[in-house]
Amino acid sequence: MRKNRKFSFSSKAVTMCCLAFLLIPAGFAFASPNKPFPQHTTYTSGTIKPNNVTQSAMDSAVQAKWDSWKSAYLKPAGTGKYYVKYESNGDTVSEAHGYGMLATVLMAGYDSNAQTYYDGLYQYYKAHPSDNNAKLMAWKQNSSFQNIEGADSATDGDMDIAYSLLLADKQWGSSGSINYLQAGKDIINAIMQSDVNQSQWTLRLGDWATDSTYKNATRPSDFMLNHMKAFQAATGDTKWKNVIDKTYTIINSIYSGYSPTTGLLPDFVVLSGTTYKPASANFLESANDGNYDYNSCRTPWRITTDYLISGDNRALNQLNQMNTWIQGKVSSNPSSVKDGYKLNGTVTGSGGSGAFYAPFGVSAMTSSANQSWLNAVWTKTAGSSNEGYYEDSIKLFSMIVMSGNWWTY
């Protein structure tokens, strides 16, 4: 992800959002949520939550963060559609869209318009299919909602959209105007078909990544193990077990071979011979493609979430090493977390970012040994102001998990 993004919103835009709600046809009924926020999920035994604030205070902080996020980034995209504003010029990407669909379904119950927003986001997704697989989403659109820079998919957006549809089925049922469960199964099967390298059982970078340069590359920030287990449960497709097992293998291979003292994972991983290694500089996005940077900063949130939900401990050693390293690196001060590191722990970033410090709060939940660090990260994240779409999205999801309000299919 690019750094130093700036965003703005106006009262006019918020008013338009409200007016769009009035365009819902008269008599159209929405379902009451079955799993309204807050959920207070019981996570894996031995894991922790912040204990320097009450549960009620954490719930309220998440609600406030959602309200702020929604006002800044959730925008109407014509009659009956919504999108997530990724850039100040109005551009958006499927990654942002997946975040919007996930957050909206999780905040239902607190936000009485959640299903209106969710269905509008769904309609936008359906209006922007990938040229390679029509069930997947074209990865980028401009402010006129036209596909730009190639109408192909990005795996992270596809996976979050798919997972959100499974949650939507649990939240509202699938007997209304949208069959969420069937739509979810359709995109899950499309992900397996086009976003998975079935010769290696790895997640591709997107449905476009089939040539010799990229077909054996994968992105650790896409390692959404909680999602993949739900995909297998929903579809009965046991091929997902192959992808899950291979994902854990790659995590531990990179950890043992390249980051044994830090537990950090790189932005991109490539297959070299029979082993996986960090990508070289400028492999796809930047000179930091082989470092812990603006993609992999999400891995403490993504990977730990599965442990919290399932108790699967195959990545626990890597997570615990990372927890130990970061606390020592910043002397337990989340304000000292930098926005980039080499896998050996050398600082490459120049400043702070909520996209980097907030996910470390999620990974801290693995052990009571991290309690004071978790409390500090929670306080820092909950009290932070808006930084931009990317940072604010990651802070919101990290707070949802830290507060005990993540749930699964």
Side-chain angles (χ1 to χ4, degrees):
M1 302 305 299
R2 293 179 177 87
K3 305 176 186 178
N4 301 321
R5 293 172 296 274
K6 303 295 182 183
F7 301 89
S8 63
F9 67 98
S10 66
S11 58
K12 179 180 178 181
V14 176
T15 301
M16 289 175 63
C17 215
C18 296
L19 289 174
F21 175 68
L22 299 177
L23 297 175
I24 301 300
F28 194 91
F30 288 107
S32 297
N34 294 313
K35 296 180 75 68
F37 183 91
Q39 276 299 294
H40 303 161
T41 303
T42 300
Y43 293 151
T44 294
S45 177
T47 61
I48 59 172
K49 293 191 294 184
N51 66 4
N52 59 329
V53 289
T54 65
Q55 181 66 60
S56 177
M58 286 193 288
D59 296 342
S60 295
V62 173
Q63 292 167 353
K65 194 66 72 176
W66 160 251
D67 288 339
S68 176
W69 186 94
K70 180 178 73 170
S71 295
Y73 311 118
L74 184 61
K75 304 297 179 183
T79 303
K81 297 187 184 73
Y82 286 91
Y83 82 110
V84 176
K85 186 177 179 182
Y86 164 83
E87 295 277 15
S88 58
N89 64 5
D91 286 2
T92 192
V93 291
S94 61
E95 167 207 278
H97 207 77
Y99 287 168
M101 293 178 75
L102 263 183
T104 304
V105 72
L106 289 168
M107 297 308 297
Y110 165 68
D111 194 316
S112 60
N113 293 331
Q115 195 174 8
T116 301
Y117 299 136
Y118 186 87
D119 287 1
L121 289 162
Y122 172 82
Q123 296 300 341
Y124 185 96
Y125 145 66
K126 292 293 289 181
H128 294 90
S130 168
D131 286 346
N132 296 322
N133 190 317
K135 298 297 184 183
L136 305 178
M137 184 174 176
W139 82 281
K140 190 171 187 179
Q141 294 83 47
N142 62 19
S143 59
S144 299
F145 311 122
Q146 301 299 309
N147 292 332
I148 57 174
E149 300 181 28
D152 44 35
S153 86
T155 297
D156 57 348
D158 294 334
M159 291 181 72
D160 276 337
I161 292 167
Y163 187 71
S164 81
L165 283 161
L166 298 184
L167 298 190
D169 171 63
K170 294 298 184 183
Q171 189 69 277
W172 299 299
S174 291
S175 60
S177 62
I178 300 170
N179 186 331
Y180 301 121
L181 182 57
Q182 187 58 56
K185 290 180 179 179
D186 288 346
I187 187 171
I188 291 166
N189 291 334
I191 292 168
M192 176 57 72
Q193 177 184 352
S194 300
D195 286 342
V196 172
N197 177 344
Q198 294 192 34
S199 66
Q200 297 293 333
W201 298 114
T202 53
L203 295 168
R204 289 177 172 149
L205 306 178
D207 62 9
W208 56 272
T210 57
D211 66 12
S212 58
T213 301
Y214 297 112
K215 67 179 182 180
N216 289 325
T218 191
R219 178 171 37 208
S221 57
D222 296 348
F223 291 176
M224 307 173 202
L225 295 149
N226 179 221
H227 288 27
M228 290 188 275
K229 290 173 182 177
F231 294 169
Q232 180 173 340
T235 62
D237 186 353
T238 57
K239 291 193 295 293
W240 281 108
K241 184 179 185 301
N242 297 336
V243 186
I244 293 164
D245 291 346
K246 188 60 171 287
T247 299
Y248 279 117
T249 296
I250 294 172
I251 291 170
N252 286 304
S253 176
I254 295 294
Y255 165 47
S256 62
Y258 297 92
S259 61
T261 62
T262 67
L264 296 175
L265 300 177
D267 271 12
F268 297 96
V269 168
V270 296
L271 179 63
S272 178
T274 59
T275 61
Y276 288 87
K277 67 178 185 179
S280 58
N282 300 303
F283 168 73
L284 182 65
E285 291 186 357
S286 78
N288 288 310
D289 283 352
N291 295 335
Y292 183 82
D293 207 69
Y294 270 81
N295 282 294
S296 54
C297 64
R298 295 172 284 187
T299 57
W301 152 46
R302 294 292 201 183
I303 296 172
T304 308
T305 296
D306 177 65
Y307 175 71
L308 296 173
I309 292 292
S310 72
D312 193 325
N313 64 6
R314 282 179 281 177
L316 187 58
N317 288 339
Q318 175 258 330
L319 293 173
N320 285 339
Q321 182 61 50
M322 186 175 58
N323 290 332
T324 299
W325 167 79
I326 188 60
Q327 291 176 70
K329 184 70 175 180
V330 302
S331 300
S332 297
N333 179 5
S335 295
S336 296
V337 174
K338 300 301 183 184
D339 61 343
Y341 297 92
K342 292 183 179 180
L343 298 192
N344 66 6
T346 301
V347 174
T348 58
S350 58
S353 166
F356 282 77
Y357 66 73
F360 285 129
V362 179
S363 64
M365 300 173 72
T366 59
S367 170
S368 59
N370 306 319
Q371 188 69 66
S372 62
W373 167 241
L374 171 57
N375 291 350
V377 176
W378 170 267
T379 299
K380 171 77 172 176
T381 308
S384 63
S385 57
N386 281 10
E387 297 177 64
Y389 140 77
Y390 188 64
E391 293 81 3
D392 294 341
S393 299
I394 292 172
K395 288 188 290 186
L396 173 62
F397 286 115
S398 296
M399 289 177 63
I400 289 172
V401 179
M402 282 190 277
S403 65
N405 284 303
W406 185 270
W407 49 275
T408 194
Y409 175 75

